[in-house]
């Protein structure tokens, strides 16, 4: 995560880490926003988003995720890219995504010359 942040790519800020018997635990900051999971999508409907609005958000999210994937690949960070592994901040007035942060880092591979 520190290498991702040093590359100026989005990611949660690590708060604490510990290691025990070769296993690591990293505590991350809580990222504001919603995930692409059923309960969070239901929150959007409570905020006045229609099914059409949510479908538009999904298209925007998929496009933004593809752009992030390219940036991460170019920087030497490889991971699976699924909407459920992102946290989105939205502008409720324009009903658009304003920020997207990848989460769920345990399967990320790093192949960088500068490590």
């Amino acid at each position: 995560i520190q290498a991702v942040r040093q590359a100026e790519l989005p990611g949660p800020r690590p708060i604490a880490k510990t290691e025990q018997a070769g296993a690591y635990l990293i505590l991350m900051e809580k990222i504001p926003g919603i995930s692409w999971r059923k309960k969070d999508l239901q929150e959007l409907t409570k905020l006045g988003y229609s099914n059409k609005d949510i479908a538009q958000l999904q298209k925007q999210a998929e496009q933004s995720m593809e752009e992030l994937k390219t940036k991460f690949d170019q920087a030497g960070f490889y991971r699976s890219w699924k909407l459920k592994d992102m946290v989105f901040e939205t502008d409720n007035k324009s009903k658009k995504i304003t920020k997207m942060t990848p989460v769920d880092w345990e399967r990320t591979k790093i192949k960088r010359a500068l490590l």
Side-chain angles (χ1 to χ4, degrees):
I1 299 298
Q2 289 173 331
V4 166
R5 293 180 58 84
Q6 287 172 350
E8 298 182 2
L9 294 167
R13 184 176 55 84
I15 295 172
K17 66 181 177 178
T18 187
E19 176 188 0
Q20 183 177 7
Y24 296 88
L25 175 67
I26 302 172
L27 178 64
M28 305 290 184
E29 71 178 330
K30 180 173 172 56
I31 303 294
I34 64 162
S35 63
W36 208 264
R37 299 180 193 276
K38 189 175 182 177
K39 73 174 188 156
D40 283 345
L41 295 176
Q42 289 172 343
E43 288 300 314
L44 289 176
T45 59
K46 290 177 185 176
L47 292 170
Y49 285 73
S50 67
N51 287 339
K52 183 178 177 182
D53 294 331
I54 293 171
Q56 289 290 74
L57 274 182
Q58 183 174 0
K59 284 183 182 181
Q60 183 186 357
E62 288 169 347
Q63 181 181 357
S64 295
M65 192 171 62
E66 216 27 66
E67 292 167 6
L68 271 181
K69 180 187 181 311
T70 299
K71 289 178 183 179
F72 273 72
D73 286 354
Q74 289 171 345
F77 300 99
Y78 303 96
R79 55 174 288 145
S80 65
W81 291 89
K82 299 174 186 170
L83 288 181
K84 70 177 187 68
D85 295 334
M86 306 289 139
V87 174
F88 306 89
E89 290 182 51
T90 58
D91 175 35
N92 294 329
K93 187 174 182 179
S94 68
K95 296 185 178 169
K96 295 189 181 213
I97 293 172
T98 57
K99 185 177 179 185
M100 189 162 75
T101 305
V103 294
D104 204 8
W105 292 88
E106 64 270 0
R107 290 177 297 280
T108 301
K109 305 280 188 249
I110 302 173
K111 297 178 183 175
R112 299 183 70 209
L114 302 175
L115 286 181

